[in-house]
Every structure is written in C-alpha cells, then in structure tokens.
Amino acid sequence: MTERTGERLAVAVDAFLAHARHGRGLSEQTVRAYANDLEQLIAFATARGVDRLSDLGLELLRDWLWDADHRGLARSTIARRSSSVRAFTRWASESGWITSDPGVRLRAPKGASHLPRVVSSDQVRTMLDGLAARAATDDPGALRDLAVVELLYAAGIRVSELVGIDVRDLDRGRLTVRVLGKGGKERVVPFGVPARDALEAWLDRGRPALLTSAQAGDGPAADDGPAAGGSRV
C-alpha cells in the first residue's frame, strides 16, 4: 500500500476500525472499545495541535496515558487504552500509513502504581519559594530543608548520594560537590549560586544551631564521625 503519512488522524482511525470490523472480523464489542479509546486519543491530540497521523509520537501517547492516570481512571481502562492504541499504530505501520510504529514501546502501568511524571519547573519554583520564605525566619530546620532541595534540584543528584555528602565534599568557591554514586563511583557535580547561598545559610547559621541544641540535650545527640554531627552536611 502507498504510504499515507500526510493523512489526518481521524481518517486513519476510521480506516482501522473498518479493518477491525470487516477485515479481521472482530466482535462489535471489541470494535466499540477501539472506537471509544481512539476517539479519546483524537480529542487529546487535537487539543495539542496534532491532527496528522505522522505527528503522532510516543511522547504524546505517553502523555495521553499519564493524563488518564492523573484523572484517576481505572488501571483496567488505562491498560485497555494502551492496548487499543498499540493495535492501531501497529496496523498503521504494517499497512504503510506511517513509516514507523510509535506505539511499539508504549507500556501501560502495572498494578496499583502510578505513572511517573517529571515535576515542572513552575512546581519546583513554587516549592522553593515556599521553603525560602520559611528559611528567611532563620529557623534551622527550614534552612536545612531549603539547602537540601536546592542542592538536589541544582546538582541533579540522588537522595542516597546527598545523605552521604560531608562538609569537606563541598567546594563553595568552585560551586561543586563530590558525591559517591552507585558502585562506589565518585564524581564531582556543579551547582548554582542559589544552591550555594542556601548551603552557606545552612552551614553558617542553621547547622550550628541544631548542633548546639543537640549538645544541650534538646535534640538528637551529635556524633564526632563524618556520618553525623562532626562533618556530615
């Protein structure tokens, strides 16, 4: 069949449903399920400016499933949607409507877990602004929390790597931190000025206050080793 990559998505879906009904002889219930799921996909894609079959990419399909998960649709519904769209894109690829199958790597979530989603920059900024407002009161815990989140965000390190950082691992002049990653591999990671400022506030004002409190018996006891009060960030 001649490639028809410029066709509208709705036209391709109609052709797929006709094939499912007459070419494959699927039950009317199955065809209706395909139709319902793919109508939802068309509406989702159109709202994002995608109306051509050739523009239907894996990222949009993943967003479509994530949106369903975010709105609380049942696991079974999301799994069925994934199955429907993969059947559609596989048919479109095999029939020559598109040059490659964008749904071949699409996977539905398993069990009760939710689909992961990257936090937006606006969400991070809102969170940081809230932490900064609390830290402005010089509350030691707030200073610590802001330093932790700023460093995680700026350096892109794992939480497991962050908890292993000692004061001597920080180079505030060069804006770098030495971390120990998986397999014991050490690397030096850069961070920005906001993270440096938050770290300095924590190390200069917040951390000493908490250590003093601990030594006075008002909090957890400080240890002399690098893994606790001695040099651990």
Side-chain angles (χ1 to χ4, degrees):
M1 179 177 178
T2 304
E3 290 180 2
R4 305 177 63 179
T5 56
E7 285 287 2
R8 295 176 64 87
L9 178 58
V11 172
V13 167
D14 285 344
F16 167 71
L17 294 175
H19 168 76
R21 180 178 287 109
H22 304 297
R24 295 182 57 192
L26 297 180
S27 70
E28 193 59 34
Q29 181 178 359
T30 299
V31 175
R32 281 200 303 269
Y34 279 160
N36 179 68
D37 292 337
L38 295 175
E39 284 174 7
Q40 297 295 324
L41 173 62
I42 291 172
F44 183 86
T46 301
R48 284 151 184 77
V50 174
D51 65 353
R52 299 289 175 183
L53 177 60
S54 57
D55 294 329
L56 191 67
L58 177 61
E59 188 62 30
L60 186 142
L61 297 180
R62 284 173 171 167
D63 283 347
W64 179 51
L65 293 186
W66 175 84
D67 179 72
D69 179 72
H70 182 69
R71 290 188 290 109
L73 270 66
R75 299 285 100 191
S76 57
T77 299
I78 298 174
R80 192 198 65 225
R81 285 190 172 192
S82 176
S83 177
S84 295
V85 74
R86 283 188 283 112
F88 167 61
T89 58
R90 182 173 61 250
W91 165 83
S93 176
E94 292 175 350
S95 302
W97 286 66
I98 48 179
T99 56
S100 61
D101 181 359
V104 70
R105 292 191 291 137
L106 187 67
R107 295 291 181 270
K110 297 180 180 179
S113 62
H114 287 278
L115 293 171
R117 186 67 176 177
V118 176
V119 179
S120 71
S121 58
D122 287 342
Q123 289 173 316
V124 172
R125 178 48 52 194
T126 298
M127 177 175 59
L128 289 173
D129 287 345
L131 290 172
R134 289 177 51 216
T137 66
D138 265 2
D139 174 73
L143 290 170
R144 176 200 58 208
D145 293 346
L146 179 61
V148 164
V149 176
E150 282 280 14
L151 188 57
L152 284 172
Y153 181 56
I157 59 178
R158 300 179 180 91
V159 172
S160 59
E161 294 172 335
L162 180 134
V163 298
I165 296 173
D166 292 337
V167 173
R168 62 176 176 267
D169 295 325
L170 291 169
D171 189 330
R172 289 187 261 177
R174 296 182 178 179
L175 300 183
T176 60
V177 59
R178 185 173 64 245
V179 299
L180 197 64
K182 290 184 176 179
K185 294 182 179 179
E186 187 178 275
R187 71 185 193 280
V188 176
V189 184
F191 55 83
V193 171
R196 181 203 63 189
D197 292 345
L199 283 166
E200 289 184 342
W202 157 243
L203 293 172
D204 296 343
R205 304 195 302 277
R207 185 171 178 270
L210 284 184
L211 289 176
T212 299
S213 176
Q215 291 166 356
D218 297 329
D223 195 315
D224 290 333
S231 62
R232 180 57 51 90
V233 174

